[in-house]
Amino acid sequence: MTESLPLSRRTVVTALGAAGFVALPAWPETARAADGPASAADGPVLDTHPATEPSGTHVREVGGTHVVFQYGAVLPAFDGWRTREPTREYLSLDRKWRFRFDPGQHGLGEGWQSPDLDDRAWDLIDVPSAWDLLDTPGFGSETTPFGKGTAFADGYAWYRTVVDVPGSWRARHVRIAFLAAGYSAEVWLDGVHLGKHEGANSAFALPVAGALRPGTRQTIAVRVFRRASYTDYTAPAPQPVTDDHEIPYKPVDYWPYAGLTRSVWIEAVPRVTIAKLLVAGANGRVEARAVIENHGASDFDGRLTLDPGRDSGARPTVVEARIAARSAGVVRVSVPVPRAPRWSPASPHTLTARATLTAGKPSGPRVDTLSTVYGVRKLTVGDARLRLNDKPLFLKGLNWHEETAARGRAMTPAEYDRELGHITALGGNFIRNCVYNRHPYVYDWADEHGVLVMDDIDTMWLNTAQEKLQTERYGLARAQALTMAWNQHNHPSVSSGGSRTSRRSTPAVLRSTGPGSPISRRP
């Protein structure tokens, strides 16, 4: 059933309510920590690995849409680092944390994850930042001594901070979001292990239902690991340290910054929540799919209102939204926007779509909102030509790495503006994110400045056996590819994704999501 809001003319729209839903994946409310690090008898420490990559990233078809799940929930939107939805509460954890290296791997056994630990003698470190720059004088200069300082501190290090959890969060779904943690991170809340993440440059969010105690002060502890690149950095012929389960699995040709290098926050959302809003604009229409989670014990029967944006030429549209308890569903809306401006490098017009979930009728109480920036554009390839909005497009740009001497990979918006500004100053219209995902600020900047992006993951130099390990058995490459496509879906600037491996693995990963999947970024 489709309803029109009171308008001067009837909105012409093809819209469907939730065509189906699936139960939320089974996931332990409290995960189990690794028993302890694995290491060679006389060599550098290697991290522990479960049978498959630890986030449980996978795709399920929900109402005709392929949805990415992680840690037993829909992989949510990560706009909380810059936006504040009125129906949600946010607690930024960008601050100074207690910090200590753990070269002897004693932290787990000594209870460094416990809220009862006295950590007042620990050092302090900024979050976000890279521990490489904590004590490596002149790291970014050509004359600094090589092989000395915290830039060469590998293995495990611990972060701790305390939070006052509002009592109002008893009726909320709460998650801790990390934009990046390099290379791997295990997270505890008051000594309860929430989960582990691998991959230094992808965002992740851990639900905290099994450990949350609203109305109290709680301790967050994070154990971060970085594998050594070489057994001895100063040796005349250093021996590389490898681990087939990691991506990348061996030393790389860029610096592997370590620590909580991007923003961290806690987000409290309604138990019935819009986890992700997928939007694509092309051929005079906006296709939107709102992925809704119901973490409550009762079925939800309400409405979803989609506003395609002030400059779209279309009015808000209302559709039914019915989601069973403990389930995820998809509400689809298709709206004609024949007068919406198109996005291109010459005219980078963007729009903001907003989805609003209400209980019962459209005039019922507001439950949740989620907005996203998108663009209307048509990208095609034919006759050996790339066309944007039916016009030939010539790409000119560069590869780049995300770092500055002052902040490493924990860059500030001003640093991004300065570094990315070189692209437009040179007349470029294209960047390749070699060879890892960037901070969300980069994709927003590209949308606003008309620069197309080829996104990338860290899958480099794999042999055939490693490709099979990372796509079929352990699955970390597959998880990273899915996460990349899902997170960057709405950006008109993002034109493709890839990796520096042979092309046998990544396309197979994306094809596994199924034809017509919104995460495959069809032209």
Side-chain angles (χ1 to χ4, degrees), residues 433-449:
N433 286 340
C434 62
V435 283
Y436 44 86
N437 294 168
R438 299 308 197 255
H439 191 290
Y441 187 90
V442 173
Y443 308 98
D444 292 342
W445 182 94
D447 291 344
E448 295 169 5
H449 290 81

Side-chain angles (χ1 to χ4, degrees), residues 242-260:
T242 65
D243 183 344
D244 284 352
H245 287 77
E246 290 195 9
I247 295 180
Y249 80 98
K250 68 176 183 178
V252 293
D253 55 358
Y254 58 93
W255 197 261
Y257 288 97
L260 302 182

Side-chain angles (χ1 to χ4, degrees), residues 207-477:
V208 300
L212 193 71
R213 293 189 293 111
T216 68
R217 174 167 290 185
Q218 296 193 260
T219 299
I220 299 172
V222 183
R223 185 177 72 153
V224 178
F225 174 82
R226 175 173 64 184
R227 184 188 78 251
S229 294
Y230 297 94
T231 56
D232 185 347
Y233 289 102
T234 60
Q239 297 299 307
V241 179
T242 65
D243 183 344
D244 284 352
H245 287 77
E246 290 195 9
I247 295 180
Y249 80 98
K250 68 176 183 178
V252 293
D253 55 358
Y254 58 93
W255 197 261
Y257 288 97
L260 302 182
T261 54
R262 296 180 188 153
S263 289
V264 184
W265 70 94
I266 305 177
E267 187 170 350
V269 304
R271 284 182 175 167
V272 181
T273 181
I274 307 169
K276 182 77 173 180
L277 180 60
L278 300 165
V279 180
N283 302 317
R285 302 194 73 84
V286 167
E287 305 286 343
R289 305 188 186 192
V291 185
I292 301 173
E293 287 181 311
N294 182 355
H295 293 275
S298 301
D299 295 349
F300 177 81
D301 188 354
R303 300 291 186 274
L304 182 110
T305 301
L306 178 75
D307 184 348
R310 183 180 58 185
D311 298 328
S312 68
R315 298 294 186 92
T317 302
V318 184
V319 298
E320 290 181 341
R322 295 174 178 170
I323 312 296
R326 312 294 186 189
S327 298
V330 174
V331 175
R332 302 190 297 173
V333 183
S334 179
V335 183
V337 289
R339 298 192 304 275
R342 289 190 171 191
W343 184 95
S344 70
S347 300
H349 295 291
T350 59
L351 302 96
T352 300
R354 175 174 291 276
T356 301
L357 194 64
T358 56
K361 297 293 183 180
S363 58
R366 183 175 62 180
V367 176
D368 196 20
T369 66
L370 185 62
S371 61
T372 187
V373 174
Y374 72 101
V376 177
R377 58 101 162 126
K378 178 182 178 183
L379 191 67
T380 58
V381 178
D383 301 324
R385 286 193 173 188
L386 177 67
R387 289 180 172 85
L388 180 63
N389 301 328
D390 298 320
K391 296 180 180 179
L393 177 66
F394 181 76
L395 298 177
K396 48 186 176 180
L398 47 84
N399 295 327
W400 76 294
H401 278 289
E402 185 182 37
E403 65 178 328
T404 63
R407 297 276 297 177
R409 198 155 292 141
M411 291 171 59
T412 65
E415 288 177 314
Y416 282 117
D417 290 341
R418 183 176 64 251
E419 296 298 310
L420 295 170
H422 297 313
I423 299 167
T424 51
L426 293 170
N429 65 1
F430 177 77
I431 53 175
R432 178 198 169 200
N433 286 340
C434 62
V435 283
Y436 44 86
N437 294 168
R438 299 308 197 255
H439 191 290
Y441 187 90
V442 173
Y443 308 98
D444 292 342
W445 182 94
D447 291 344
E448 295 169 5
H449 290 81
V451 175
L452 287 115
V453 177
M454 177 180 175
D455 213 8
D456 219 340
I457 57 175
D458 313 56
T459 316
M460 298 171 295
W461 309 320
L462 301 185
N463 60 37
T464 300
Q466 290 165 335
E467 287 185 5
K468 290 181 70 66
L469 175 71
Q470 292 296 7
T471 58
E472 298 177 12
R473 298 195 301 277
Y474 195 63
L476 184 55

